Amino acid sequence: MSTTARAQKAPDTRGPVRKLLTSFGFQILAALVLGIAAGLIGRQLGATAENPTGLSATLDTIGSSYVTLLRAAVVPLIFTAIVASISNLRRVQNAARLAGQTILWFAITAFIAVIIGIVLGLVIQPGNRAGDGLEPGDPYTVGTWWNFLLGLIPQNFLGLTVSTSPGAVEGTFSSNVGFNILQVIVVAAVVGIAALKAGKKAEPFLIFTESLLKVIQRVLWWIIRIAPIGTFGLIGSAVIKYGWEKLASLGWFAAAVYIGLALVLFVVYPVLVRTHGLSIKQYFSGVWPAVQLAFVSRSSIGTLPLTERVTERNLGVPRSYASFAVPLGATTKMDGCAAIYPAIAAIFVAQFFGIELNFVQYLLIVIVSVVGSAATAGTTGAVVMLTLTLSTLGLPLEGVGLLLAIDPILDMGRTAVNVAGQALIPTIVAKREGILNEELYNAPREGLPFADDSGDDEGTPEADTSSDKEPVGAR
């Protein structure tokens, strides 16, 4: 898999202050700080989730509008990305081996993460240290193996679902149209495989799909450009709605989860990077733009375009392989949501209700975490994964309601770890298979994340399929 030489870039004449202000990372961090400050001001002015004010409503509108923009592009992005990624495998030598290695390393890292979660749950014992006043509640969504298997069967081509509920006025009803992402993935995979089997007759369709993917990604780049604005609203609204006092009764549980996330992100991943002869510093500087966006957006799918971009342009993974591995990881590679969190949460629920777990049940936690990640693809995955784990172990599902109050706070860290892993696995697999562009991996992180966006698709097709483009996201 060959790549072309990097194009020469004009000297950067920006001063240090302008470089800092135009840095995507700095803008995100500044928005985080300003959002926290705005949230604290809002709470001082008496704003709460039950008693909104003008400031809290504004922050909530800004944050929710940004998430809505991300979600609007999810279905076309997933469909076109998966179809294109499967079709791209026809250009890759040893495609089956690459796919097998990718899935294997997904499972290996999930296994390590769930073991860390179990150990932390047993050592910290968050369920035995839970604060007073916690009351079990009903989970708003339940995951079971049966529902997961049924969810694989598409109800229609678009994976459309319609839910109807009683309206605010008696005798009225409201309906919401949504998408079952798991079914969209199944439909896209079937269409992609069928297009490959169709051969030359499907070439126009594949070309159209890849072009449509480019258009959708361009729209998403525009959405990502305004991520600092969305970050400001999301963080500010979260501080007002949840506050830090929510952590008081569940402080040990939150600490256990974040310790586990930190161990995976800052110990396990660096060890894997170093074991494969790569620079830890270069890995973090390369993946950090996507990790930051994942932290504030709480969406692996919404972060997918940026994750794929940094994987190709910062970490040196060839586009033909990254375009398959990263979308696959965005829907199934979730060390935070599907490994660390359900392991610690299941142990918390067992301890809270005074239930002693045996060796077989701990083994089931490991099995569910390693093979059950796909069950989280259809929704905000951690809660579904937790209910799937609890139902498999025979633990009371009411325990999920204990943890919902601080779930958004935990979800930021979980998603950040998910995305870091989604970029890591293609990198180490590419290194093991000898297709990683190490010159690009080790290059200085220069330029703006979207500096070359205007010319991204210009030039020859050969240049467009190269992963050798200027690194993204100065740090």
Side-chain angles (χ1 to χ4, degrees):
M1 194 175 304
S2 61
T3 53
T4 59
R6 284 202 332 221
Q8 294 297 318
K9 182 185 174 184
D12 191 346
T13 58
R14 296 173 298 154
V17 174
R18 187 182 174 192
K19 283 184 180 180
L20 180 64
L21 293 177
T22 55
S23 165
F24 185 67
F26 174 79
Q27 292 172 357
I28 292 289
L29 290 175
L32 279 169
V33 174
L34 292 174
I36 291 173
L40 293 174
I41 292 172
R43 291 187 69 84
Q44 288 295 319
L45 296 176
T48 63
E50 297 77 20
N51 182 34
T53 64
L55 176 59
S56 65
T58 300
L59 291 171
D60 182 63
T61 301
I62 293 173
S64 61
S65 297
Y66 182 71
V67 173
T68 299
L69 284 174
L70 283 174
R71 288 177 177 172
V74 163
V75 172
L77 173 67
I78 290 178
F79 182 85
T80 55
I82 291 179
V83 172
S85 64
I86 292 176
S87 67
N88 279 334
L89 287 178
R90 73 190 190 279
R91 307 171 185 167
V92 183
Q93 293 181 350
N94 299 321
R97 177 180 172 86
L98 282 174
Q101 286 282 315
T102 302
I103 295 172
L104 174 64
W105 277 98
F106 282 178
I108 290 173
T109 52
F111 175 79
I112 296 172
V114 73
I115 293 299
I116 290 174
I118 291 174
V119 171
L120 287 173
L122 294 175
V123 171
I124 297 177
Q125 297 191 357
N128 294 330
R129 299 185 180 193
D132 298 330
L134 287 179
E135 297 181 0
D138 293 328
Y140 55 76
T141 182
V142 176
T144 66
W145 289 107
W146 183 247
N147 288 339
F148 167 61
L149 293 175
L150 290 177
L152 290 173
I153 304 173
Q155 299 177 14
N156 51 71
F157 179 74
L158 297 176
L160 277 171
T161 59
V162 180
S163 59
T164 303
S165 58
V169 179
E170 186 177 354
T172 64
F173 295 88
S174 61
S175 298
N176 293 317
V177 178
F179 292 90
N180 186 316
I181 298 301
L182 191 57
Q183 293 181 11
V184 175
I185 293 170
V186 172
V187 170
V190 171
V191 171
I193 294 171
L196 279 182
K197 294 295 184 180
K200 291 185 178 180
K201 292 183 178 180
E203 283 295 329
F205 169 75
L206 294 177
I207 293 173
F208 169 77
T209 302
E210 292 179 358
S211 298
L212 180 59
L213 176 60
K214 279 292 184 183
V215 173
I216 295 168
Q217 286 180 325
R218 181 57 54 84
V219 173
L220 277 163
W221 297 146
W222 295 341
I223 297 173
I224 292 173
R225 284 177 188 266
I226 62 173
I229 299 174
T231 299
F232 172 75
L234 287 167
I235 296 300
S237 179
V239 171
I240 290 175
K241 285 183 178 179
Y242 307 108
W244 305 119
E245 65 272 10
K246 287 283 188 181
L247 291 173
S249 58
L250 293 169
W252 286 104
F253 173 72
V257 172
Y258 266 96
I259 289 172
L261 295 173
L263 287 175
V264 171
L265 181 58
F266 298 114
V267 178
V268 175
Y269 289 173
V271 167
L272 290 175
V273 169
R274 196 60 190 160
T275 301
H276 287 85
L278 299 172
S279 166
I280 297 172
K281 177 183 176 183
Q282 289 296 104
Y283 165 70
F284 278 116
S285 66
V287 78
W288 206 249
V291 171
Q292 286 179 316
L293 182 60
F295 183 83
V296 298
S297 70
R298 295 168 47 204
S299 172
S300 294
I301 295 296
T303 312
L304 172 58
L306 188 57
T307 308
E308 186 171 339
R309 171 166 287 205
V310 299
T311 303
E312 296 171 4
R313 303 187 182 188
N314 282 358
L315 302 181
V317 179
R319 176 172 295 181
S320 52
Y321 168 51
S323 63
F324 161 78
V326 178
L328 177 65
T331 53
T332 60
K333 172 62 181 161
M334 301 183 181
D335 289 341
C337 289
I340 297 171
Y341 177 75
I344 297 176
I347 293 173
F348 171 92
V349 171
Q351 292 170 349
F352 184 84
F353 287 99
I355 300 172
E356 191 74 25
L357 297 178
N358 56 39
F359 175 77
V360 173
Q361 287 173 307
Y362 287 119
L363 183 61
L364 284 174
I365 293 176
V366 175
I367 294 173
V368 172
S369 296
V370 172
V371 304
S373 295
T376 70
T379 64
T380 313
V383 173
V384 173
M385 190 66 192
L386 175 56
T387 60
L388 179 64
T389 305
L390 295 182
S391 62
T392 303
L393 299 178
L395 294 174
L397 293 178
E398 292 82 2
V400 178
L402 298 169
L403 309 176
L404 293 180
I406 63 168
D407 190 72
I409 297 173
L410 302 179
D411 198 31
M412 294 186 289
R414 293 190 309 238
T415 310
V417 171
N418 292 344
V419 167
Q422 291 158 16
L424 171 70
I425 299 307
T427 303
I428 62 176
V429 170
K431 169 66 175 177
R432 294 172 66 87
E433 295 298 313
I435 59 175
L436 185 71
N437 187 335
E438 295 191 50
E439 180 184 357
L440 187 58
Y441 181 95
N442 293 314
R445 307 301 182 205
E446 299 174 351
L448 301 175
F450 311 101
D452 61 345
D453 208 33
S454 61
D456 188 36
D457 298 316
E458 296 175 3
T460 64
E462 290 78 13
D464 185 58
T465 58
S466 170
S467 67
D468 292 342
K469 294 192 178 183
E470 201 63 37
V472 179
R475 287 287 153 254

